[in-house]
Amino acid sequence: MAKQYEIPIGAQHISLLEPLHFKFTTENEKIINTDANIFYVHRGIEQACCSKFKFRQVSFVVGRVCGLCSISHTTAYSQVAEKLLKIEIPKRAKYLRMLVIELDRIHSHLLCLSHVAENSGFEALFMKTMQYREFAMELLEAVCGNRIQYDFSIVGGVSRDLKPQTGQNILDRLKKFMPQLDELLDIFRNNWTLSLKNKGAGAITKEDAMRLNVIGPFARAAGLPVDVRNEAEDLLPWKEVGYEMITETTGDVYARNMIRLREMYISKRIIENIIEGLPESGLITETKAFPDGEAVVRLEAPRGELFYYAKGNKTQVLERLKIKAPTFSNIPAMVEAFKGNEYGTAPAIIASYDPCLSCTAR
Amino acid sequence: MTVMQHVWIVLGVLFVLLNIGAGLIWVERRMLALWQDRLGPNRAGPLGILIVLADTLKLFFKEDWVPPFADKWVFIIAPAIVVASVLMSFVVIPFAPGIVVADLNVGLLFFLAMSSIGVYSIVLGGWASNNKYALLGALRGASQMIAYEVFMGLSLMGVVMMTGSFKLTDIVEAQRDMWFFIKQPIGLVIFFIAGIAETHRLPFDIPEAESELIAGYHAEYSGMKFGMFFIGEYLGITLISAMTATIFFGGWLGPEFLPGWVWFFTKTFAFILFFILLRASLPRPRYDQLMEYGWKILLPLVLANVMITGAVLLWLKG
């Protein structure tokens, strides 16, 4: 029997964006076991939201949970607070929330793809993807006023309106982005040297994905049609604006790349439909009520299902707020999917999970 | 030649090479930026060229640290070996007619022997660091370089057979009518691929493999010890480029309107740029895939090349 050798990755490692620790037990560089530690960045945000801040301020606090998907957090929190306040927000606000979520999805997916490319050792593709991502950041700044951590959703609606010329700008830039996206899809799909590292790496079967409760692009790559946008119609009308489920079958790094790339086409369609059919109405529903009772909200963040639970007691401060980030649900599957892979592919596999640790540890 | 002439040639070669080694840092970063649509270093001096000075000064003033868990003497010697072995290889390279430090009649073998010694720096450096990543990088580096040395040596045998000599000036002179890359295309390609693996540059930088091993065998090195590895790598690129130019592209030979050394440096620089272009555009394969590629594809190819060259030569002889 070959000697077993333990190789750690993290909590500080050059191929990791966030503090995440994996300890691989390897035999001839083949991973046979993995141990994960994810809670390095606990910041006590949930506790702060239930003690220090009033419920209207909390939507700004939860935006700081994560830099990449902050709109998902603020929107999910706003929705759960609106449920507690028992108010219905204007339709225009709903549409604008969806618009920003989809723009955010584009930039988050491109970031993930660029890191998959970098961790596969493909520096040129990393630079290219990062360069193409810039347009999404600029558009988000034009819509929300910030490149990251946009406090766009607030309790009762949204904080800013979309100006017609901004909408036109978004459409123009998206049109320019399409050939770039086609180019990326072509490279990720057809580049032979990249496929050496991506095809078959970190694969997980549909049954395993079901058993291990996988969500988000990770699940869709394995063939599980799991997407909150497909189900929860009451809060945000996704199907109205052209949402469509996308799945792959192989469940490896390559399939996850494909899911992310193809989802951007859907995002583009949703954004165009939203801007063209933006309903005229107010932006915010005012209320003087205090949150009361319990509520849960599910929302499809770029990484998967984001889950918010809140409990109010008719005061300014919430009694309890619980956030479950998508990465948390995927940890068991992440550990599982490493088995049998070469250590050399591990960084690419980690990047393809798109783990968001500051969401998970809060 | 007098003794002083020899000394001047040695000093001149050293001066030029070390400057090329340092200058390549700037060239590489600028060219990478150009090909990847970025800016690159552009602040210090015209076109950012003073970045070389800043980098070197930074390396000199960094703390020269030996980890307490390291094997101290081996740790110190390892970076010296890489620079020494590469510089030794330059001894046999003819820069122009008459400008060669030592025109050995086993020049090619000397070059191959010296590049073998380069493996020691990686193995010893990685082992002495007493660090998991460094050791893994060292082991990968050793097996990769030993494997690719085989192909490198074999790929040059076609040229040796045609010239009938290991002496590099003879090989250059034999190319007066036709450069060898026309007669030995497979030899050229395999030599260049093996050269990339020897200098462990992207796409074959598996001993360093940034994303998985951080920096591989030199993870624990800092200051000028790291600088030695760094310079050694750039000198390695220059060496392989110079060898390619000498063996396959006629060395100093070229139209008469320019002196020989200009032709030599132009050719060398073109190959250096090609090295950088490869880095800018290709991803790194996995370690086992690289080894598979070497033993299953390159080895049969290079053996067939040697056999066919030999057969053709015998047939021409009648």
Side-chain angles (χ1 to χ4, degrees):
Chain A
M1 198 183 107
K3 193 170 180 266
Q4 293 188 351
Y5 199 63
E6 275 191 349
I7 311 173
I9 277 200
Q12 307 273 328
H13 190 281
I14 204 158
S15 65
L16 294 176
L17 295 182
E18 287 177 87
L20 164 70
H21 179 85
F22 284 116
K23 191 189 267 176
F24 299 116
T25 311
T26 59
E27 213 175 271
N28 294 337
E29 293 214 13
K30 197 165 276 280
I31 297 166
I32 53 173
N33 207 358
T34 315
D35 188 17
N37 185 356
I38 52 171
F39 286 96
Y40 278 93
V41 275
H42 182 68
R43 286 162 291 165
I45 285 184
E46 280 176 11
Q47 182 61 30
C49 291
C50 305
S51 55
K52 198 169 180 182
F53 297 100
K54 293 172 186 165
F55 79 97
R56 281 182 196 282
Q57 297 169 326
V58 170
S59 74
F60 298 93
V61 181
V62 293
R64 270 72 189 159
V65 167
C66 177
L68 295 170
C69 45
S70 73
I71 186 65
S72 308
H73 284 275
T74 51
T75 308
Y77 171 73
S78 305
Q79 287 176 344
V80 82
E82 283 147 17
K83 271 193 178 176
L84 294 182
L85 297 169
K86 295 171 190 67
I87 53 173
E88 178 74 18
I89 66 163
K91 199 157 187 202
R92 192 178 176 90
K94 283 185 182 176
Y95 268 60
L96 288 177
R97 280 179 182 180
M98 284 195 289
L99 170 80
V100 179
I101 289 176
E102 288 307 313
L103 270 178
D104 181 68
R105 197 183 306 282
I106 289 180
H107 109 80
S108 174
H109 280 359
L110 281 174
L111 181 86
C112 170
L113 287 167
S114 72
H115 279 97
V116 172
E118 193 198 16
N119 288 354
S120 308
F122 202 162
E123 198 181 319
L125 186 57
F126 165 72
M127 296 289 173
K128 194 184 270 286
T129 319
M130 277 306 220
Q131 191 188 15
Y132 291 165
R133 170 173 172 258
E134 182 61 23
F135 97 100
M137 310 288 282
E138 279 169 14
L139 288 183
L140 282 165
E141 188 181 9
V143 178
C144 316
N146 258 355
R147 283 166 66 87
I148 53 166
Q149 294 188 332
Y150 355 92
D151 305 310
F152 191 64
S153 296
I154 52 174
V155 178
V158 294
S159 58
R160 280 168 156 235
D161 199 3
L162 183 76
K163 295 193 190 82
Q165 67 263 34
T166 315
Q168 192 53 45
N169 186 17
I170 292 175
L171 291 181
D172 294 343
R173 296 292 291 274
L174 270 179
K175 202 172 269 172
K176 272 187 207 155
F177 173 60
M178 275 306 112
Q180 296 172 342
L181 185 54
D182 293 339
E183 186 191 346
L184 287 181
L185 186 67
D186 179 48
I187 297 174
F188 275 102
R189 180 175 278 162
N190 299 328
N191 190 303
W192 176 72
T193 35
L194 190 66
S195 75
L196 282 179
K197 278 205 150 181
N198 283 358
K199 278 195 180 159
I204 190 161
T205 60
K206 192 174 176 180
E207 290 71 39
D208 276 349
M210 183 94 89
R211 181 170 61 83
L212 294 167
N213 204 5
V214 183
I215 52 178
F218 199 172
R220 295 198 283 278
L224 277 186
V226 179
D227 193 328
V228 186
R229 289 179 288 174
N230 208 20
E231 306 159 18
E233 275 295 295
D234 53 333
L235 295 170
L236 293 173
W238 290 106
K239 283 182 186 156
E240 224 174 274
V241 290
Y243 168 73
E244 187 189 313
M245 172 74 78
I246 285 178
T247 52
E248 292 272 335
T249 48
T250 47
D252 51 3
V253 178
Y254 172 81
R256 295 198 269 278
N257 291 343
M258 284 301 117
I259 287 284
R260 296 205 167 90
L261 285 159
R262 288 169 62 201
E263 271 190 5
M264 280 190 271
Y265 286 97
I266 303 294
S267 294
K268 177 238 177 193
R269 188 165 82 198
I270 293 176
I271 292 169
E272 282 178 353
N273 288 341
I274 288 173
I275 291 174
E276 274 153 22
L278 198 59
E280 290 298 327
S281 69
L283 289 176
I284 195 159
T285 308
E286 300 287 351
T287 177
K288 291 199 171 144
F290 287 136
D292 183 23
E294 288 177 291
V296 294
V297 153
R298 294 157 67 216
L299 183 89
E300 186 74 9
R303 287 164 185 73
E305 179 192 308
L306 181 64
F307 179 94
Y308 263 70
Y309 162 84
K311 187 177 179 188
N313 51 6
K314 292 190 182 170
T315 60
Q316 285 274 17
V317 180
L318 294 172
E319 194 178 316
R320 180 80 177 100
L321 180 73
K322 169 72 190 160
I323 306 168
K324 187 175 78 73
T327 308
F328 182 73
S329 306
N330 283 341
I331 294 286
M334 288 185 188
V335 171
E336 183 77 17
F338 278 120
K339 279 183 189 153
N341 284 284
E342 292 284 329
Y343 171 68
T345 45
I349 298 174
I350 295 176
S352 78
Y353 296 152
D354 204 2
C356 183
L357 278 307
S358 38
C359 285
T360 312
R362 302 174 302 282
Chain B
M1 252 195 290
T2 64
V3 175
M4 272 325 279
Q5 270 175 321
H6 266 300
V7 171
W8 281 119
I9 289 178
V10 171
L11 287 180
V13 168
L14 257 183
F15 178 79
V16 170
L17 283 178
L18 291 179
N19 275 311
I20 286 180
L24 275 185
I25 299 171
W26 175 78
V27 173
E28 169 156 48
R29 290 179 65 182
R30 288 295 293 193
M31 294 317 279
L32 275 182
L34 179 72
W35 282 316
Q36 294 180 343
D37 214 354
R38 294 181 283 124
L39 284 176
N42 62 351
R43 297 301 163 97
L47 293 175
I49 191 140
L50 290 184
I51 193 82
V52 177
L53 203 65
D55 262 358
T56 323
L57 279 178
K58 176 198 75 180
L59 284 177
F60 271 114
F61 285 107
K62 263 191 171 175
E63 187 188 354
D64 193 15
W65 189 66
V66 179
F69 43 80
D71 188 337
K72 194 178 168 201
W73 289 109
V74 183
F75 188 84
I76 292 171
I77 288 168
I81 294 176
V82 65
V83 177
S85 68
V86 177
L87 281 177
M88 284 296 274
S89 297
F90 277 103
V91 162
V92 292
I93 288 182
F95 296 89
I99 306 184
V100 51
V101 178
D103 197 8
L104 302 179
N105 53 8
V106 287
L108 257 184
L109 292 182
F110 186 78
F111 156 71
L112 291 172
M114 281 301 137
S115 67
S116 306
I117 288 181
V119 182
Y120 282 101
S121 75
I122 289 189
V123 178
L124 294 179
W127 180 72
S129 300
N130 202 359
N131 169 317
K132 279 186 179 179
Y133 292 127
L135 184 61
L136 270 178
L139 291 175
R140 287 176 174 201
S143 50
Q144 171 185 332
M145 287 172 79
I146 289 170
Y148 276 79
E149 237 146 53
V150 177
F151 320 133
M152 186 181 248
L154 284 172
S155 68
L156 295 177
M157 285 312 122
V159 171
V160 173
M161 275 190 269
M162 280 195 274
T163 321
S165 165
F166 282 110
K167 202 172 176 178
L168 281 169
T169 40
D170 286 353
I171 291 177
V172 173
E173 283 301 330
Q175 299 179 66
R176 278 226 179 263
D177 304 326
M178 190 189 275
W179 291 353
F180 275 146
F181 80 96
I182 303 169
K183 293 181 193 164
Q184 284 284 321
I186 298 176
L188 167 69
V189 171
I190 292 176
F191 176 76
F192 204 76
I193 291 174
I196 300 168
E198 277 293 300
T199 50
H200 35 90
R201 288 275 304 172
L202 253 162
F204 295 158
D205 66 337
I206 291 171
E208 309 171 29
E210 191 175 283
S211 56
E212 58 223 60
L213 295 181
I214 308 182
Y217 60 90
H218 57 59
E220 293 288 346
Y221 282 89
S222 69
M224 211 45 216
K225 291 204 195 76
F226 168 74
M228 295 282 255
F229 275 122
F230 206 51
I231 289 286
E233 185 182 327
Y234 284 107
L235 285 178
I237 300 170
T238 319
L239 175 67
I240 297 295
S241 306
M243 283 308 271
T244 317
T246 310
I247 297 170
F248 292 99
F249 287 85
W252 70 76
L253 298 175
E256 287 296 321
F257 60 88
L258 283 176
W261 62 271
V262 176
W263 281 115
F264 178 81
F265 279 108
T266 315
K267 288 170 191 173
T268 306
F269 195 68
F271 287 112
I272 291 174
L273 284 186
F274 189 62
F275 260 102
I276 298 171
L277 179 61
L278 282 180
R279 173 177 171 181
S281 49
L282 286 179
R284 163 189 327 121
R286 225 167 53 205
Y287 167 69
D288 54 319
Q289 290 162 344
L290 178 81
M291 299 304 282
E292 217 174 277
Y293 177 65
W295 290 112
K296 290 186 184 163
I297 300 177
L298 290 188
L299 188 64
L301 257 180
V302 76
L303 285 175
N305 187 42
V306 171
M307 259 159 57
I308 292 168
T309 313
V312 169
L313 281 175
L314 280 177
W315 179 61
L316 285 177
K317 229 168 149 188

